[in-house]
Amino acid sequence: MSKSNDPIWWSLFAGGGVVSAFFLPVLIVITGIAVPLGLTGNALAYERLHGIVSHPAVRLALFGLIALPLFHWAHRFRFLVVDMGLRGHPTAIAVLCYGAAIAGTLLTGTVLWHF
Amino acid sequence: MSPYDRPFPNTWWLQRRPYFLFVVREATAVFVAAYCVFLLVLVHRLGQGPEAYAGLLEALRSPASVVLHLIVLAFALFHSVTWINLTPKIMVLQVGAKKVSPRLIAAANFVAWAGLSAALAWLILGTA
């Protein structure tokens, strides 16, 4: 069987899918509904939230929470674009998609490292 | 193009409901990633100081933010439900000669989803 690096991208896709499926909806409800309705009280105050995010374990969790779904998007979008009709440039599309995810991951790591 | 290639239009996915739902499912990844980019912006603003963070909180209270969040939430929920409904295909458990019912596996994952969401909400919002 010829070697392919698809398993790497698929694994990252799967990790991102699990992370986003289980953790994102509640976060979206918090930032999108609870905050505007004033239901969060003092919980998201600057000092409190800054303290929580400063914790290394929290920053590590945030890294996974942000970076993995980027790879989930990259893998799904790469094939979706072809399904939508953009055939003939498979390598370029793959490089752009995974490249964007890698760039996003590096940016995420930098922001969290220097927090 | 080979004479055996059956040509089909780029609107193939609009022609049948299962095709349409498939494309919607794949498209959820765009909205999921967009929200994760927002999370990165939130963390960045939080690190920039109280004024920058207050600006973002204020933006979250705008109608545009609420509308965007609701759209993203719809796609995120569609992703979660379709993903968890596929877990029985991945987690095939066998007890002796019988396979565990796929619906039980999916149900267990839905329960896990609820539990993890509650735990995360409690971690972030405290016991308020």
Side-chain angles (χ1 to χ4, degrees):
Chain A
M1 204 195 269
S2 68
K3 280 191 185 169
S4 145
N5 52 23
D6 263 6
I8 305 169
W9 308 121
W10 178 85
S11 301
L12 290 167
F13 155 79
V18 168
V19 157
S20 55
F22 284 94
F23 294 113
L24 243 57
V26 70
L27 290 176
I28 299 170
V29 167
I30 291 174
T31 62
I33 299 171
V35 164
L37 286 179
L39 299 173
T40 57
N42 201 42
L44 296 181
Y46 173 79
E47 296 80 15
R48 182 177 179 271
L49 196 62
H50 193 279
I52 292 173
V53 174
S54 298
H55 197 289
V58 174
R59 281 187 284 154
L60 188 62
L62 278 170
F63 180 72
L65 186 65
I66 297 172
L68 282 171
L70 292 179
F71 283 101
H72 174 79
W73 161 82
H75 194 68
R76 252 186 171 160
F77 196 69
R78 167 200 180 183
F79 295 113
L80 184 65
V81 156
V82 172
D83 284 343
M84 290 293 103
L86 198 71
R87 277 160 247 280
H89 313 276
T91 313
I93 292 169
V95 165
L96 282 173
C97 288
Y98 298 130
I102 292 168
T105 301
L106 291 171
L107 187 63
T108 306
T110 309
V111 168
L112 286 167
W113 184 265
H114 293 297
F115 186 81
Chain B
M1 192 152 88
S2 149
Y4 300 101
D5 263 349
R6 184 175 158 201
F8 64 95
N10 285 335
T11 53
W12 61 271
W13 53 284
L14 291 168
Q15 283 164 10
R16 286 207 199 287
R17 195 177 136 93
Y19 300 167
F20 176 72
L21 290 176
F22 163 75
V23 171
V24 170
R25 186 192 81 181
E26 301 302 292
T28 63
V30 173
F31 296 86
V32 159
Y35 186 75
C36 289
V37 170
F38 160 74
L39 283 179
L40 184 62
V41 169
L42 186 144
V43 169
H44 179 250
R45 288 286 192 95
L46 188 62
Q48 298 285 90
E51 300 85 19
Y53 177 66
L56 186 134
L57 273 192
E58 196 50 45
L60 282 180
R61 296 188 190 104
S62 69
S65 168
V66 175
V67 167
L68 277 174
H69 271 87
L70 288 174
I71 296 171
V72 168
L73 182 63
F75 280 99
L77 286 174
F78 193 79
H79 165 62
S80 296
V81 169
T82 54
W83 190 268
I84 291 174
N85 279 333
L86 280 172
T87 49
K89 297 270 186 265
I90 311 163
M91 291 165 66
V92 181
L93 296 173
Q94 259 184 308
V95 180
K98 280 190 69 177
K99 272 196 226 172
V100 176
S101 148
R103 284 212 249 155
L104 191 60
I105 304 221
N109 276 289
F110 276 111
V111 170
W113 179 29
L116 287 168
S117 300
L120 189 57
W122 179 81
L123 269 172
I124 296 171
L125 300 177
T127 47

